[in-house]
């Protein structure tokens, strides 16, 4: 069965500092991994994804994530945080067992960037 | 143009009522979803349709009935609303391929009183 864990409910970081939001996953096949961001009273917005290839993937708003197969992790990172990055971040996983099957979302991590 | 649009954005209703939420996507996607986000922000899939065919039906009470008149629309009808149904419901769409991301609507905040 697929599962996603985001071990931190909240991450606090000062503006200008690097940030990391952690995610670990479990799937039976090869994982397709996604990060989404949710701003208040809005739907989720896609940030980036790992499908295959280079373990470091770059996405929107300067975010990047590193796929680590041995640690089954897909942590979201940004070199320099902005106050406007404050939002709720979701990691999601889908296995390659077939198209359109359900995506499992983590519980979300609230990122708070302080000026 | 809004890619995935849901109506209404807010819905306040009394227990026992029946209500519907509509969703439309103009992205040409063939797969649509309904998700429920509870008060703790936990996001759980309810249904998935591919080309109007039900693909995923999670353990959702049968008071919830999705309907897809065409692949651009996926509506959610809820009978006999209960207090525990209060949540934010998100519609989303994607292509069928496992490696494609989903696009979400802005959500419908349902409050049952």
């Amino acid at each position: 069965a697929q599962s996603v864990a985001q071990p931190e409910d909240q991450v606090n970081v000062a503006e200008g500092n690097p940030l990391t939001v952690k995610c670990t996953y479990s799937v039976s096949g090869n994982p397709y991994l996604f990060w989404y961001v949710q701003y208040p009273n809005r739907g989720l917005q896609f940030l980036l994804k790992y499908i295959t290839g280079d373990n470091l993937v770059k996405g929107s708003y300067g975010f990047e994530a590193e796929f680590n197969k041995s640690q089954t992790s897909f942590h979201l990172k940004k070199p320099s945080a902005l106050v406007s990055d404050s939002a709720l971040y979701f990691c999601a996983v889908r296995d390659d067992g077939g198209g359109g099957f359900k995506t499992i979302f983590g519980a979300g991590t609230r990122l708070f960037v302080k000026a | 143009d809004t890619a995935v649009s849901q109506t209404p954005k807010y819905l306040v209703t009394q227990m026992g009522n029946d209500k519907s939420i509509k969703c439309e996507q103009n992205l040409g996607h063939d797969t649509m979803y309904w998700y429920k986000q509870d008060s703790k922000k936990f996001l759980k899939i309810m249904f998935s349709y591919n080309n109007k065919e039900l693909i995923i039906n999670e353990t959702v009470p049968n008071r919830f009935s999705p309907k897809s008149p065409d692949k651009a629309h996926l509506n959610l009808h809820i009978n006999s609303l209960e207090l525990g149904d209060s949540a934010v419901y998100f519609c989303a769409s994607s292509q069928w391929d496992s490696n494609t991301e989903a696009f979400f609507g802005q959500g419908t905040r349902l409050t049952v009183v």
Side-chain angles (χ1 to χ4, degrees), chain A residues 67-104:
Chain A
F67 171 64
N68 188 317
K69 187 173 183 178
S70 62
Q71 296 186 4
T72 61
S73 67
F74 189 56
H75 301 331
L76 181 70
K77 300 181 180 184
K78 187 173 182 180
S80 178
L82 298 172
V83 172
S84 58
D85 293 330
S86 298
L88 186 59
Y89 290 81
F90 289 95
C91 181
V93 68
R94 190 189 289 171
D95 69 31
D96 65 352
F101 286 100
K102 60 183 177 182
T103 301
I104 301 298

Side-chain angles (χ1 to χ4, degrees), chain B residues 12-79:
Chain B
V12 181
T13 188
Q14 291 187 328
M15 286 175 54
N17 283 351
D18 303 339
K19 291 293 180 185
S20 293
I21 307 172
K22 295 185 177 182
C23 179
E24 175 182 7
Q25 55 95 4
N26 62 6
L27 298 167
H29 290 160
D30 56 7
T31 305
M32 296 185 72
Y33 313 83
W34 278 109
Y35 284 87
K36 179 180 180 180
Q37 187 174 46
D38 62 23
S39 59
K40 295 184 177 180
K41 305 299 184 183
F42 187 71
L43 199 65
K44 184 176 180 181
I45 191 167
M46 301 172 68
F47 303 102
S48 172
Y49 270 74
N50 174 250
N51 283 322
K52 305 192 297 177
E53 180 182 352
L54 181 65
I55 302 299
I56 295 172
N57 183 352
E58 288 295 288
T59 52
V60 176
N62 57 15
R63 297 181 295 103
F64 291 79
S65 53
K67 284 187 171 52
S68 182
D70 55 62
K71 69 177 188 178
H73 296 83
L74 180 61
N75 303 323
L76 184 66
H77 188 75
I78 315 170
N79 290 326

Side-chain angles (χ1 to χ4, degrees), chain A residues 32 34 36 38 41-44 46 49 51 88 90 94-95 98-103 105 107 110, chain B residues 31 33 35 37 41-43 45 48 56 58 90 94 96-102 104-106 109:
Chain A
Y32 294 153
F34 304 81
Y36 291 83
Q38 185 179 25
N41 300 314
R42 302 293 298 273
L44 278 69
F46 169 74
K49 65 182 177 183
I51 303 301
L88 186 59
F90 289 95
R94 190 189 289 171
D95 69 31
F101 286 100
K102 60 183 177 182
T103 301
F105 284 83
R110 192 168 297 281
Chain B
T31 305
Y33 313 83
Y35 284 87
Q37 187 174 46
K41 305 299 184 183
F42 187 71
L43 199 65
I45 191 167
S48 172
I56 295 172
E58 288 295 288
F90 286 102
S94 74
W96 176 248
D97 296 333
S98 295
N99 61 5
T100 59
E101 62 272 21
F104 283 77
Q106 290 206 343
R109 183 175 296 277

Side-chain angles (χ1 to χ4, degrees), chain A:
Chain A
Q2 300 164 235
S3 67
V4 179
Q6 293 181 243
E8 302 152 317
D9 290 337
Q10 182 165 313
V11 170
N12 299 309
V13 64
E15 188 174 34
N17 283 0
L19 70 88
T20 298
V21 182
K22 295 180 180 177
C23 172
T24 59
Y25 66 90
S26 175
V27 294
S28 55
N30 291 316
Y32 294 153
L33 296 155
F34 304 81
W35 275 101
Y36 291 83
V37 59
Q38 185 179 25
Y39 297 101
N41 300 314
R42 302 293 298 273
L44 278 69
Q45 297 177 34
F46 169 74
L47 275 180
L48 50 80
K49 65 182 177 183
Y50 171 82
I51 303 301
T52 187
D54 194 347
N55 288 344
L56 184 66
V57 293
K58 296 185 183 297
S60 307
Y61 312 121
F63 284 94
E64 58 189 29
E66 186 166 12
F67 171 64
N68 188 317
K69 187 173 183 178
S70 62
Q71 296 186 4
T72 61
S73 67
F74 189 56
H75 301 331
L76 181 70
K77 300 181 180 184
K78 187 173 182 180
S80 178
L82 298 172
V83 172
S84 58
D85 293 330
S86 298
L88 186 59
Y89 290 81
F90 289 95
C91 181
V93 68
R94 190 189 289 171
D95 69 31
D96 65 352
F101 286 100
K102 60 183 177 182
T103 301
I104 301 298
F105 284 83
T109 298
R110 192 168 297 281
L111 174 65
F112 182 70
V113 182
K114 186 176 181 181

